[in-house]
Structure formats: C-alpha cells, structure tokens
Amino acid sequence: MAIDFSKISVIGCGRWGGFLGYYIAKYKKADTLMFGLKEDPAYQALIKTGNNGYVTMPSNVSYTTDINEALKRQFIVVSIGCQGLRGLCKQLNAFDLRGKRFLLAMKGLEESTGKRLTEVFHEEIKQPDVQVAALMGPGHVQDYLNEIPSCVVIDSDDEVAKKEIADFMNSSLIRVYYGSDLIGNEIGAALKNVIGLAAGILDGLNWAGLKGALMARAPVEVGRLISYYGGNPKSAYGLAHLGDYEATLFSPHSHNRAYGESLVKGPRFEKLAEGVPTLKAVYDLRDKVNMPICQVLYEVVYNNKDPKEQINLLFQRPNKSEF
C-alpha cells in the first residue's frame, strides 16, 4: 500500500524535530502536525509564537498534545531523545498502528541495553504492517536555514518503505541516499556522537591538530563495533558516520563537540548530547570489542579522569601497523 505523504505528523518539537516539521511543510508542501507535551517549553513556544528558538513555522503547520490525533496520519516522523524511545513505543502500541510508517530521526543506542533504535521499536511495536526507517547523516538546523545543502541516508529493513520515504524526503536542500546496511548505519550514526565528544575534548585542550588522527582511527574502531553487531564495517566510512564528522567534530552547532569541550574548559554543557548515554552502552562491550578511544573517553566523561593523561595512554600503547 502506497504511503499518503500529503498529511504528516512529527513527534518532538525540539531543534531537529522542529526543523523536520518546518522542512516537510515548506519543501514538501505537506499538511504537517507537530505533536508535543504540554509541559515542553519548545512546544509552548511553537503554539504561542510559531518559533521554537530555531525555526519559524510555515502556515501549513498545526499543533497538538493529543497523541491519538498525531497517529491518525499514515507517515509519522519521530524526533525525541533516544533514551525515551522505548517509553514512547509502549505508549504508541496502545493504538491501532496498522499501515503506519515511522521515520526515526535521532541517533544513539539505548543506554541500558546497547540496542539500536529500530531494534527497540520492533521489540515494543508488535502489530502487523508497521514499517520503520531511520534517518542518518550530517546536517545542522542552522546551516539548513541558511540554505546550505547536505546529504543524508535513510535505511530500513523494509525495502519498499525505505525507498518511498527516501524519495519523499529528497529535495534540492537535502539529497537522500538509500541505505543498504541498517545495522552499520545505525551503529555508525550513534557512534559519530561519541567521537564528537572526543573532538570537543581536543578543542578544549587546544589539541585540534589531533582531530585528523581521530578521524582516521575512529572509523576503524567503529567498524569493529559494527562487525560485532552483524553489520558491514565499511559502513563506518559512509554518510551515517564518517560523512557526519564535519558537522559533529568541527561545527560550533554540535552539542556533542560542545559537551566534550566543556569537560575541559567548563561550565558543564547542559543541553542534550546523545553521545553520553551511547558511550555508556559501548563501554559495557569493552570485553568484547577493542575500542581504545571509547574506553579512554569513558574514563574522562564518567570517571572524571584527566583528559591529557587519558589521551597520553593511547600514545603509550604498543606500536602496530596502521592497516
């Protein structure tokens, strides 16, 4: 059954969810319904001013706090904090979701289980004929609003839904590629946030020159993790991971980079940095996957170890061939 893209819901009114609502309404001309919680400041800002602090919504955007209203539409974009996905799915499963298509527009691993987001979705949503895809790759709201184009990848274990959603989301502002490795792309997207923490720490130490080495070695490490999960390690070199490095390791808009820098310079960065809980999930696999960068990061982020001392530990490891 073909997806009806003329009316779309977006769950989540923050920076990225708000932008996707704006993008779909403006560039795809769809009747867009934004769902938010009454107590959410971003939702309150939208209903009062039409602006959530980042984007000003077009006139074809409406708002609701009634999840039942949001679920009346066939295509639903979800952009919330990753750690809240399982709870949301439990709530959604109380409704008839048959024929619905979901696009998960966030990047991370569930902290308590280390599971990918589409895994979490499928574990909680047991109804037939419900497809889910994931949106991954570079792009900041601030850059898009300045009409700076970028590329993303959409992947799914359902080929038809993947292609229909990707074709719909494509535009002159965002070029969309079809993914061919859901596992690798989800892991890569989640881990680019973790590597963003490392880049921020280097910025805080005024060691930005090491970012080149970080960019060369981190995909090797991430490729090992992708292999452990059953994906293709080469996906670490695609849009979902390496392709997102500029936006995550260098951009002043990157929350994860800013969080890492704040660990060195202070004060502590208070906005959402998805790399932090994902780092915890990865660290729990330390006995199964060789990931020295992530292990050093964990000591800095969670155990408050000295960043210089921890980075120096990487340099003290035995010499080895690059490849």
PDB file of all heavy atoms in Angstrom, residues 228-241:
ATOM      1  N   TYR A 228      30.708  -6.444  15.166  1.00  0.00           N
ATOM      2  CA  TYR A 228      30.203  -7.164  16.337  1.00  0.00           C
ATOM      3  C   TYR A 228      28.678  -7.255  16.300  1.00  0.00           C
ATOM      4  O   TYR A 228      28.095  -8.297  16.628  1.00  0.00           O
ATOM      5  CB  TYR A 228      30.656  -6.461  17.616  1.00  0.00           C
ATOM      6  CG  TYR A 228      30.002  -7.006  18.872  1.00  0.00           C
ATOM      7  CD1 TYR A 228      30.460  -8.188  19.463  1.00  0.00           C
ATOM      8  CD2 TYR A 228      28.922  -6.356  19.452  1.00  0.00           C
ATOM      9  CE1 TYR A 228      29.847  -8.698  20.595  1.00  0.00           C
ATOM     10  CE2 TYR A 228      28.307  -6.868  20.587  1.00  0.00           C
ATOM     11  CZ  TYR A 228      28.781  -8.033  21.159  1.00  0.00           C
ATOM     12  OH  TYR A 228      28.166  -8.541  22.288  1.00  0.00           O
ATOM     13  N   TYR A 229      28.021  -6.188  15.862  1.00  0.00           N
ATOM     14  CA  TYR A 229      26.562  -6.183  15.795  1.00  0.00           C
ATOM     15  C   TYR A 229      26.038  -6.938  14.574  1.00  0.00           C
ATOM     16  O   TYR A 229      24.845  -7.199  14.481  1.00  0.00           O
ATOM     17  CB  TYR A 229      26.037  -4.748  15.767  1.00  0.00           C
ATOM     18  CG  TYR A 229      25.882  -4.109  17.128  1.00  0.00           C
ATOM     19  CD1 TYR A 229      26.935  -3.452  17.736  1.00  0.00           C
ATOM     20  CD2 TYR A 229      24.668  -4.149  17.813  1.00  0.00           C
ATOM     21  CE1 TYR A 229      26.796  -2.849  18.977  1.00  0.00           C
ATOM     22  CE2 TYR A 229      24.512  -3.556  19.056  1.00  0.00           C
ATOM     23  CZ  TYR A 229      25.584  -2.911  19.628  1.00  0.00           C
ATOM     24  OH  TYR A 229      25.444  -2.315  20.865  1.00  0.00           O
ATOM     25  N   GLY A 230      26.915  -7.271  13.634  1.00  0.00           N
ATOM     26  CA  GLY A 230      26.492  -8.031  12.463  1.00  0.00           C
ATOM     27  C   GLY A 230      26.370  -7.213  11.199  1.00  0.00           C
ATOM     28  O   GLY A 230      25.810  -7.687  10.202  1.00  0.00           O
ATOM     29  N   GLY A 231      26.895  -5.986  11.206  1.00  0.00           N
ATOM     30  CA  GLY A 231      26.827  -5.134  10.025  1.00  0.00           C
ATOM     31  C   GLY A 231      28.122  -5.146   9.243  1.00  0.00           C
ATOM     32  O   GLY A 231      29.068  -5.866   9.557  1.00  0.00           O
ATOM     33  N   ASN A 232      28.170  -4.318   8.205  1.00  0.00           N
ATOM     34  CA  ASN A 232      29.338  -4.208   7.335  1.00  0.00           C
ATOM     35  C   ASN A 232      30.253  -3.104   7.868  1.00  0.00           C
ATOM     36  O   ASN A 232      29.852  -1.942   7.918  1.00  0.00           O
ATOM     37  CB  ASN A 232      28.888  -3.863   5.918  1.00  0.00           C
ATOM     38  CG  ASN A 232      30.036  -3.825   4.923  1.00  0.00           C
ATOM     39  OD1 ASN A 232      31.201  -3.787   5.296  1.00  0.00           O
ATOM     40  ND2 ASN A 232      29.702  -3.812   3.648  1.00  0.00           N
ATOM     41  N   PRO A 233      31.498  -3.431   8.257  1.00  0.00           N
ATOM     42  CA  PRO A 233      32.381  -2.397   8.822  1.00  0.00           C
ATOM     43  C   PRO A 233      32.645  -1.238   7.878  1.00  0.00           C
ATOM     44  O   PRO A 233      32.968  -0.134   8.328  1.00  0.00           O
ATOM     45  CB  PRO A 233      33.668  -3.173   9.145  1.00  0.00           C
ATOM     46  CG  PRO A 233      33.609  -4.402   8.299  1.00  0.00           C
ATOM     47  CD  PRO A 233      32.154  -4.749   8.193  1.00  0.00           C
ATOM     48  N   LYS A 234      32.502  -1.459   6.564  1.00  0.00           N
ATOM     49  CA  LYS A 234      32.715  -0.372   5.608  1.00  0.00           C
ATOM     50  C   LYS A 234      31.676   0.744   5.769  1.00  0.00           C
ATOM     51  O   LYS A 234      31.900   1.869   5.309  1.00  0.00           O
ATOM     52  CB  LYS A 234      32.687  -0.914   4.183  1.00  0.00           C
ATOM     53  CG  LYS A 234      33.884  -1.788   3.831  1.00  0.00           C
ATOM     54  CD  LYS A 234      33.842  -2.230   2.384  1.00  0.00           C
ATOM     55  CE  LYS A 234      35.070  -3.085   2.039  1.00  0.00           C
ATOM     56  NZ  LYS A 234      35.031  -3.537   0.620  1.00  0.00           N
ATOM     57  N   SER A 235      30.562   0.443   6.421  1.00  0.00           N
ATOM     58  CA  SER A 235      29.541   1.476   6.634  1.00  0.00           C
ATOM     59  C   SER A 235      30.052   2.608   7.516  1.00  0.00           C
ATOM     60  O   SER A 235      29.492   3.703   7.507  1.00  0.00           O
ATOM     61  CB  SER A 235      28.285   0.861   7.252  1.00  0.00           C
ATOM     62  OG  SER A 235      27.656  -0.017   6.334  1.00  0.00           O
ATOM     63  N   ALA A 236      31.121   2.346   8.278  1.00  0.00           N
ATOM     64  CA  ALA A 236      31.715   3.412   9.100  1.00  0.00           C
ATOM     65  C   ALA A 236      32.273   4.536   8.238  1.00  0.00           C
ATOM     66  O   ALA A 236      32.505   5.648   8.736  1.00  0.00           O
ATOM     67  CB  ALA A 236      32.822   2.834   9.992  1.00  0.00           C
ATOM     68  N   TYR A 237      32.479   4.260   6.948  1.00  0.00           N
ATOM     69  CA  TYR A 237      33.039   5.263   6.051  1.00  0.00           C
ATOM     70  C   TYR A 237      31.958   5.942   5.201  1.00  0.00           C
ATOM     71  O   TYR A 237      32.284   6.697   4.279  1.00  0.00           O
ATOM     72  CB  TYR A 237      34.107   4.625   5.162  1.00  0.00           C
ATOM     73  CG  TYR A 237      35.262   4.086   5.974  1.00  0.00           C
ATOM     74  CD1 TYR A 237      35.249   2.768   6.434  1.00  0.00           C
ATOM     75  CD2 TYR A 237      36.328   4.900   6.328  1.00  0.00           C
ATOM     76  CE1 TYR A 237      36.282   2.276   7.219  1.00  0.00           C
ATOM     77  CE2 TYR A 237      37.365   4.416   7.110  1.00  0.00           C
ATOM     78  CZ  TYR A 237      37.336   3.108   7.556  1.00  0.00           C
ATOM     79  OH  TYR A 237      38.356   2.624   8.344  1.00  0.00           O
ATOM     80  N   GLY A 238      30.695   5.694   5.524  1.00  0.00           N
ATOM     81  CA  GLY A 238      29.594   6.285   4.777  1.00  0.00           C
ATOM     82  C   GLY A 238      29.042   7.541   5.422  1.00  0.00           C
ATOM     83  O   GLY A 238      29.600   8.079   6.392  1.00  0.00           O
ATOM     84  N   LEU A 239      27.926   7.999   4.910  1.00  0.00           N
ATOM     85  CA  LEU A 239      27.314   9.242   5.380  1.00  0.00           C
ATOM     86  C   LEU A 239      26.930   9.197   6.850  1.00  0.00           C
ATOM     87  O   LEU A 239      27.015  10.203   7.549  1.00  0.00           O
ATOM     88  CB  LEU A 239      26.063   9.552   4.547  1.00  0.00           C
ATOM     89  CG  LEU A 239      26.286  10.172   3.173  1.00  0.00           C
ATOM     90  CD1 LEU A 239      24.990  10.161   2.377  1.00  0.00           C
ATOM     91  CD2 LEU A 239      26.816  11.599   3.308  1.00  0.00           C
ATOM     92  N   ALA A 240      26.505   8.043   7.330  1.00  0.00           N
ATOM     93  CA  ALA A 240      25.994   7.958   8.698  1.00  0.00           C
ATOM     94  C   ALA A 240      27.078   8.200   9.732  1.00  0.00           C
ATOM     95  O   ALA A 240      26.796   8.696  10.827  1.00  0.00           O
ATOM     96  CB  ALA A 240      25.340   6.591   8.941  1.00  0.00           C
ATOM     97  N   HIS A 241      28.335   7.855   9.394  1.00  0.00           N
ATOM     98  CA  HIS A 241      29.415   8.029  10.372  1.00  0.00           C
ATOM     99  C   HIS A 241      30.462   9.031   9.885  1.00  0.00           C
ATOM    100  O   HIS A 241      30.414  10.201  10.250  1.00  0.00           O
ATOM    101  CB  HIS A 241      30.054   6.690  10.722  1.00  0.00           C
ATOM    102  CG  HIS A 241      31.047   6.811  11.841  1.00  0.00           C
ATOM    103  ND1 HIS A 241      30.658   7.006  13.142  1.00  0.00           N
ATOM    104  CD2 HIS A 241      32.409   6.808  11.851  1.00  0.00           C
ATOM    105  CE1 HIS A 241      31.727   7.122  13.914  1.00  0.00           C
ATOM    106  NE2 HIS A 241      32.800   7.009  13.148  1.00  0.00           N
TER     107      HIS A 241
END
